[in-house]
Amino acid sequence: MRKQKGFAISLFIYLLITISFPLQAQYFGRNKPIYKKFKFDVYQTPNFEIYHYLKNDTVLKYLSLTAEKWYDRHYQVFRDSIEERNPILIYENHADFQQTTAISGTIGVGTGGVTEALKNRVVIPITETWSQTNHVLGHELVHAFQFNSLITGDSTSLNSVRNLPLWMIEGMAEYLSLGTYDYQTAMWMRDAVLNNNFPTLEDMTYYPNKYFPYRWGHAFWSFIGRTFGDSLINPIFKETAKRGYNYALIKHIGLNETSFSDLWKSVYFDYFKGVLPDSTEDPSGTRILFERNAGEINISPSVSPDGRYVAFYSEKDLFSIDLFLAHATSGKIIRRLSSVVHDNKIDALNFIESAGTWSPDSRQFAFVAFSKGKNKILIVDVFDDKLVREIAIPGVPSFNYPAWSPDGRNIVVSGLVNGVNDLYMVDLQSGLTTQLTHDPWCNIHPAWSPDGSKIVYSTDKPSDYDLSNNKTVGYNIATYSLADREARVYEIFPTADNLNPMFSGNGHSIYFLSNSDGYRNLYKIDTTNDETFRLTRILTGISGMTPLAPAMSVASETDEVCYSHYFKNRYSIYTADTVDFKPVKVDPYVVNFSASILPPLNRATEGLVDKNLADNSLPHGLADSLKTVPFKPKFKLDYISNIG
């Protein structure tokens, strides 16, 4: 048995972010807090029975057609249909999803969805953006096909899953739902190449805490698809279930585990070293929080308006993520901010994709937590170390990304209501909630202008340029004017993910993160002339634990920028002044995603997976086959155990 080496960041990511693939026996509701009753309706499609309580028919129809789209994509890979309609349970938000009784275990903050084995039920929440929900649904339906293949196959069984390493199971779900272009997986791969930490398949199997199964498994299947063809995905998967991956690789591609690992590593090193720039730049500014004074995961930094303090999430205390306060200059940790809420009936902190926000006087800090099946804003006094206030938003049970207004009166959030994500403003004095945006698009990452007249945010709403050029939209930068209630979508880096926007201290620039160069770097828009500048050239990325996690903030009084940098399989936090950056003017209409391609670049055969993912059209001619049917309980004995 190979000996494990110490503690690694990937163990936490595996425990906290996993889209679960549970194999244990399923039972209903034991020891799980239930705060509301769900009355499910059943919506039937050709291949699914969708259990839901949604009040938005448009969202329901979209999800139903999306599921059918994924079914067709996955069928082409597995060449095996699921005979009976597969059940999908959809919850309106993550807080509701955490209360599901369809599985026995506790649902963590970072669990995006679950597919359980015995009934092949897919259980997911609607998330903040359509892109997120689409990915989670596609990922989980891969598991449904995997289970179906193992259970119904004539020479395999569910017991064969023991031969399938986690990286193969989860990586396959990532590859079939993301394809070979993914800047987050590519970031991990570049990091491994830069730091000479590229594993063998045996390393990935024995050290899942060191080599995150989702990212490394994704890279493995992408390499198989681009090198040998997507037609080998299912045969290798099923042969591995029968006899292990070494036998499967020898049979289908003529290489054993060692030879394959050597080839894989050499191709990745040659490719990424070829696309990396000749001239490199170190991260701008000063590294203040890292493994020596904090943890290996230091994320979602939020710098105070006066630039003196930074609040951040970290696993400093080992095996848990907590909210800490530190000096922004020295990095010295002052206290754990979350300690004041742990005994206040708070179920969990929403640390995965939500940073907090400071009051204008830099004295109080507000962040989002789960409490009794709903989201709440918690406000703490960072110096008195006490909980000042809890705020639930009537009519908005799920929200994220709070932003405190410069006058201290309002907090704006991105709220998920009936499956649609809009911006909502809460008046802290009167308690009045105002819905700001009213559109079908997803609006996230709000931040205020220094004078309080505008809110900048990210949205998947297309710009005029996107519409006129038929461009697929990633995330665009937009501003909302409170005076005239009008939104403007910037024409910048079409098809890229432009996220986490923040106004500069003088309001003349908007900082944001983008993968427009295939990496994930910091940019700014000069709002006086719409010129765009790249501020960093980091070869791994400025990133949180997920693509939508905030990873940068700006001190409104000092213009100090605080960001989270991924390097050597760790997340460190840097602070930088404007003089630390070297702005390079760039063309806002040019993108280059080559650094986000998972190699090899020149593939041997046309890729079925990438081809199918490029077609974003929903199935035609299915509208007449979608219908609501009566709910019928299907209780039955799953299995008999001899455990006494």
Side-chain angles (χ1 to χ4, degrees):
M1 186 73 177
R2 301 178 70 171
K3 190 175 181 181
Q4 302 267 352
K5 294 182 179 179
F7 170 80
I9 180 178
S10 296
L11 174 61
F12 288 101
I13 300 176
Y14 168 57
L15 292 175
L16 297 172
I17 304 185
T18 50
I19 301 173
S20 300
F21 189 80
L23 299 177
Q24 71 271 19
Q26 305 299 329
Y27 54 95
F28 284 83
R30 191 184 308 174
N31 300 326
K32 183 176 291 187
I34 307 298
Y35 301 110
K36 63 187 290 189
K37 293 182 179 180
F38 302 101
K39 184 179 179 181
F40 286 96
D41 293 319
V42 183
Y43 199 60
Q44 201 172 82
T45 76
N47 293 294
F48 299 102
E49 282 192 342
I50 299 177
Y51 296 80
H52 73 96
Y53 54 96
L54 307 179
K55 297 180 178 64
N56 190 322
D57 292 339
T58 301
V59 171
L60 176 60
K61 184 176 180 180
Y62 171 81
L63 292 173
S64 302
L65 293 175
T66 300
E68 288 292 336
K69 181 76 171 183
W70 281 118
Y71 186 98
D72 180 63
R73 287 168 172 165
H74 297 339
Y75 170 79
Q76 293 181 52
V77 173
F78 284 91
R79 290 296 173 187
D80 185 18
S81 60
I82 301 175
E83 292 185 4
E84 296 184 2
R85 287 187 175 90
N86 204 84
I88 301 177
L89 282 70
I90 297 178
Y91 288 85
E92 278 196 350
N93 53 64
H94 205 284
D96 287 357
F97 168 62
Q98 289 178 338
Q99 302 171 60
T100 183
T101 56
I103 64 167
S104 59
T106 301
I107 301 293
V109 172
T111 302
V114 174
T115 303
E116 59 93 32
L118 295 177
K119 294 185 178 69
N120 223 19
R121 290 178 295 200
V122 171
V123 190
I124 67 167
I126 296 175
T127 63
E128 280 87 357
T129 70
W130 294 120
S131 178
Q132 269 186 307
T133 304
N134 180 54
H135 170 227
V136 172
L137 182 57
H139 179 111
E140 294 303 327
L141 285 176
V142 173
H143 292 326
F145 273 87
Q146 288 172 334
F147 280 132
N148 179 72
S149 176
L150 295 176
I151 293 172
T152 63
D154 56 0
S155 58
T156 58
S157 70
L158 189 58
N159 291 330
S160 300
V161 79
R162 71 186 64 182
N163 292 327
L164 291 161
L166 189 63
W167 57 261
M168 181 169 278
I169 295 170
E170 294 295 354
M172 186 176 179
E174 287 290 89
Y175 175 53
L176 296 190
S177 58
L178 292 173
T180 65
Y181 299 79
D182 182 66
Y183 68 88
Q184 192 177 43
T185 296
M187 180 182 74
W188 284 60
M189 300 304 106
R190 290 195 303 270
D191 181 69
V193 169
L194 286 167
N195 294 292
N196 196 24
N197 186 31
F198 205 94
T200 64
L201 298 185
E202 189 177 2
D203 292 332
M204 290 158 55
T205 302
Y206 284 100
Y207 302 143
N209 62 323
K210 184 175 182 180
Y211 300 105
F212 186 36
Y214 288 70
R215 302 282 70 81
W216 284 101
H218 181 192
F220 165 84
W221 283 114
S222 181
F223 185 75
I224 290 289
R226 293 188 73 94
T227 307
F228 305 101
D230 290 332
S231 62
L232 291 181
I233 294 174
N234 191 42
I236 290 175
F237 174 78
K238 297 193 76 169
E239 198 66 50
T240 300
K242 297 175 189 176
R243 298 180 178 90
Y245 60 80
N246 187 59
Y247 185 92
L249 292 174
I250 292 173
K251 178 177 179 179
H252 291 288
I253 65 176
L255 298 172
N256 63 19
E257 182 272 337
T258 301
S259 299
F260 177 88
S261 295
D262 290 343
L263 174 65
W264 187 25
K265 179 178 179 179
S266 66
V267 170
Y268 264 64
F269 269 69
D270 289 345
Y271 175 72
F272 279 122
K273 288 193 173 181
V275 300
L276 293 175
D278 293 332
S279 61
T280 61
E281 298 176 6
D282 293 328
S284 301
T286 304
R287 187 169 67 150
I288 61 166
L289 293 161
F290 49 102
E291 63 274 11
R292 291 185 182 177
N293 64 343
E296 293 191 347
I297 301 177
N298 307 291
I299 54 174
S300 300
S302 182
V303 64
S304 60
D306 60 12
R308 298 178 60 189
Y309 306 100
V310 59
F312 68 103
Y313 288 98
S314 175
E315 40 63 75
K316 177 181 180 296
D317 286 346
L318 203 64
F319 289 106
S320 67
I321 294 284
D322 273 309
L323 180 63
F324 292 88
L325 178 70
H327 287 289
T329 302
S330 66
K332 180 180 179 180
I333 294 177
I334 301 171
R335 63 170 52 91
R336 189 177 67 178
L337 290 177
S338 56
S339 62
V340 299
V341 303
H342 284 322
D343 296 326
N344 286 272
K345 298 180 180 179
I346 300 301
D347 299 328
L349 301 179
N350 193 1
F351 62 87
I352 294 294
E353 291 179 346
S354 183
T357 181
W358 287 85
S359 61
D361 62 3
S362 299
R363 184 174 183 87
Q364 296 182 345
F365 189 73
F367 53 98
V368 177
F370 291 95
S371 177
K372 296 183 178 181
K374 294 182 179 180
N375 281 147
K376 283 187 177 180
I377 298 174
L378 305 182
I379 300 178
V380 298
D381 189 306
V382 298
F383 300 108
D384 291 343
D385 194 24
K386 66 179 182 180
L387 181 63
V388 175
R389 189 173 175 185
E390 295 183 26
I391 302 172
I393 305 178
V396 188
S398 177
F399 54 84
N400 221 336
Y401 314 116
W404 212 319
S405 64
D407 62 7
R409 179 166 181 168
N410 301 293
I411 288 180
V412 65
V413 298
S414 175
L416 185 62
V417 179
N418 293 327
V420 179
N421 201 295
D422 278 302
L423 300 183
Y424 293 83
M425 186 171 64
V426 182
D427 189 312
L428 297 178
Q429 296 178 14
S430 67
L432 179 67
T433 300
T434 304
Q435 183 176 347
L436 300 181
T437 58
H438 299 78
D439 58 48
W441 311 106
C442 300
N443 306 303
I444 59 174
H445 294 172
W448 292 83
S449 63
D451 62 4
S453 65
K454 293 181 179 179
I455 295 169
V456 65
Y457 59 100
S458 290
T459 179
D460 56 8
K461 181 179 180 179
S463 67
D464 291 339
Y465 178 85
D466 297 325
L467 293 172
S468 61
N469 291 274
N470 198 27
K471 293 288 186 180
T472 300
V473 179
Y475 295 98
N476 286 322
I477 302 298
T479 54
Y480 178 88
S481 171
L482 277 83
D484 55 21
R485 307 294 184 183
E486 293 291 331
R488 176 198 173 183
V489 179
Y490 281 82
E491 295 181 355
I492 186 166
F493 299 144
T495 73
D497 289 347
N498 307 300
L499 296 163
N500 203 172
M502 306 282 292
F503 274 102
S504 62
N506 61 15
H508 295 161
S509 298
I510 296 173
Y511 296 98
F512 66 101
L513 302 178
S514 179
N515 68 330
S516 61
D517 60 356
Y519 302 90
R520 195 148 187 263
N521 277 303
L522 179 64
Y523 294 81
K524 76 171 182 179
I525 306 168
D526 187 328
T527 57
T528 61
N529 55 23
D530 287 355
E531 291 182 339
T532 305
F533 298 86
R534 189 188 70 236
L535 300 182
T536 64
R537 199 177 193 182
I538 294 173
L539 300 186
T540 48
I542 299 176
S543 177
M545 294 168 73
T546 68
L548 294 186
M552 179 269 297
S553 67
V554 179
S556 58
E557 296 177 19
T558 65
D559 230 18
E560 183 178 44
V561 177
C562 192
Y563 63 91
S564 178
H565 173 231
Y566 178 79
F567 190 69
K568 287 188 176 180
N569 207 26
R570 303 182 181 99
Y571 294 87
S572 302
I573 292 176
Y574 284 72
T575 58
D577 294 323
T578 52
V579 295
D580 294 322
F581 300 117
K582 300 175 181 178
V584 176
K585 187 177 179 181
V586 294
D587 188 333
Y589 294 99
V590 173
V591 296
N592 180 2
F593 297 130
S594 59
S596 291
I597 300 174
L598 301 176
L601 181 60
N602 298 315
R603 59 191 313 156
T605 60
E606 183 181 15
L608 174 65
V609 172
D610 282 343
K611 178 182 177 182
N612 285 341
L613 290 173
D615 178 9
N616 293 310
S617 61
L618 293 175
H620 298 290
L622 287 181
D624 293 338
S625 63
L626 307 180
K627 59 182 179 180
T628 298
V629 298
F631 176 85
K632 294 181 180 179
K634 297 180 180 180
F635 294 106
K636 66 178 182 178
L637 181 66
D638 287 337
Y639 73 100
I640 297 176
S641 173
N642 60 1
I643 298 176

